[in-house]
Amino acid sequence: MSDKKFDYNDTNRKYDFDDLIEIISQLRGPGGCPWDIKQTHESLKECLVEESGEVIQAIDNNDDDNLCEELGDLLLQVVMHAQIASETGRFTISDVIQGVSEKMIRRHPHVFGDRKVSNAEESLNLWNEIKKQEKK
């Protein structure tokens, strides 16, 4: 945890991803929020399902403002789970980002390599072929 201070009354500040990570760390750290501190992967499962459903509902309603808000809530879930794991040395948000970045590059050789596809269906088939090979 850093010494970064967040001011409840500062309504003009622009936050970035690193700020969010630090905010969650402070919420779960000493002097943080009792509710956030007691959360576990298991206790947050229902929240994860609920937030995912709200993202889908915002998409179905074609409501960009709500979609933006709900994607933030879903991102909060990801950061919370990563923070919980980091507290016990299992993995960090950086590990999550590294893993998904590697996966996206690996599963898109038609973009980042020399494979060729001519349409979305071929792209999906290639993705599924690579995924199947990885799961062996």
Side-chain angles (χ1 to χ4, degrees), residues 108-119:
H108 289 87
H110 54 290
V111 175
F112 302 106
D114 57 6
R115 293 284 298 261
K116 302 288 184 218
V117 297
S118 57
N119 57 47

Side-chain angles (χ1 to χ4, degrees), residues 57-65:
Q57 186 175 26
I59 292 168
D60 289 346
N61 292 338
N62 199 26
D63 185 341
D64 287 343
D65 290 338

Side-chain angles (χ1 to χ4, degrees), residues 35 39-58 70-71 73-78 80-81:
W35 185 90
Q39 297 314 302
T40 66
H41 293 302
E42 290 295 319
S43 71
L44 288 172
K45 287 189 327 186
E46 188 174 315
C47 295
L48 183 58
V49 170
E50 180 181 316
E51 296 303 345
S52 297
E54 290 174 359
V55 167
I56 292 167
Q57 186 175 26
E70 298 305 338
L71 286 171
D73 292 346
L74 189 56
L75 178 59
L76 169 62
Q77 290 298 307
V78 172
M80 280 285 284
H81 282 280

Side-chain angles (χ1 to χ4, degrees), residues 103-110 127 130-131 134-135:
K103 180 190 295 185
M104 296 311 293
I105 292 168
R106 192 175 57 246
R107 293 193 185 171
H108 289 87
H110 54 290
W127 171 281
I130 293 166
K131 182 177 179 179
E134 291 172 355
K135 299 296 178 180

